[in-house]
Amino acid sequence: QVELVESGGGAVRPGGSLRLSCAASGDTSSAWYMAWFRQAPGNEREGVAIISVRSHFRNTYYADSVKGRFTISQDTANNTLYLQMNNLKPEDTALYYCAAATEVVQNVYAARQYAYWGQGTQVTVSS
């Protein structure tokens, strides 16, 4: 069992920045991938940034829509996952979720591959 708690969401103007945090507890050593997903009203849940936590190289994966603007990172000492979001756009407005996969997955961007989820934190980008 892995428990995930997100924080750091809020309202920001276009071009602004936010950093989301996800505190992980429980059997965190069972995780293979940690990820940030987002879901806007009427849309499917979208994988935006993933990190392979079992890999020595900590491979990262990003959705095309956020490449060059978002950075995923992990503080292993504190079991915390981060998402640094820069140059935010109105289309980034969504509920952002932290997720963990406890097995090797075929598609790191597919929500169905992740067994554990946080409650979400709202990000609103508006002028």
Side-chain angles (χ1 to χ4, degrees), residues 35-37 45-50 60-64 66-67 105-114 117:
W36 289 97
F37 282 76
R45 197 166 292 192
E46 172 192 20
V48 296
I50 300 96
T60 56
Y61 310 84
Y62 295 95
D64 288 343
V66 306
K67 280 181 182 175
V105 302
Q106 293 183 332
N107 181 357
V108 297
Y109 298 100
R112 65 181 183 277
Q113 303 276 3
Y114 293 80
W117 294 85

Side-chain angles (χ1 to χ4, degrees), residues 7-29:
S7 61
V12 64
R13 295 187 184 278
S17 298
L18 282 174
R19 189 176 78 157
L20 305 184
S21 299
C22 172
S25 61
D27 189 16
T28 57
S29 64

Side-chain angles (χ1 to χ4, degrees), residues 35-121:
W36 289 97
F37 282 76
R38 67 185 181 187
Q39 188 167 22
N43 290 356
E44 293 186 356
R45 197 166 292 192
E46 172 192 20
V48 296
I50 300 96
I51 185 168
S52 59
V53 297
R54 291 286 184 98
S55 168
H56 174 72
F57 299 103
R58 289 285 192 271
N59 295 326
T60 56
Y61 310 84
Y62 295 95
D64 288 343
S65 58
V66 306
K67 280 181 182 175
R69 301 188 299 121
F70 290 12
T71 302
I72 188 171
S73 61
Q74 185 192 30
D75 180 345
T76 55
N78 294 309
N79 283 327
T80 303
L81 185 73
Y82 299 102
L83 184 67
Q84 178 66 43
M85 305 185 295
N86 298 328
N87 190 21
L88 283 160
K89 304 176 180 180
E91 51 264 42
D92 295 319
T93 296
L95 190 60
Y96 282 71
Y97 296 91
C98 177
T102 54
E103 57 187 20
V104 176
V105 302
Q106 293 183 332
N107 181 357
V108 297
Y109 298 100
R112 65 181 183 277
Q113 303 276 3
Y114 293 80
Y116 299 100
W117 294 85
Q119 81 289 350
T121 185

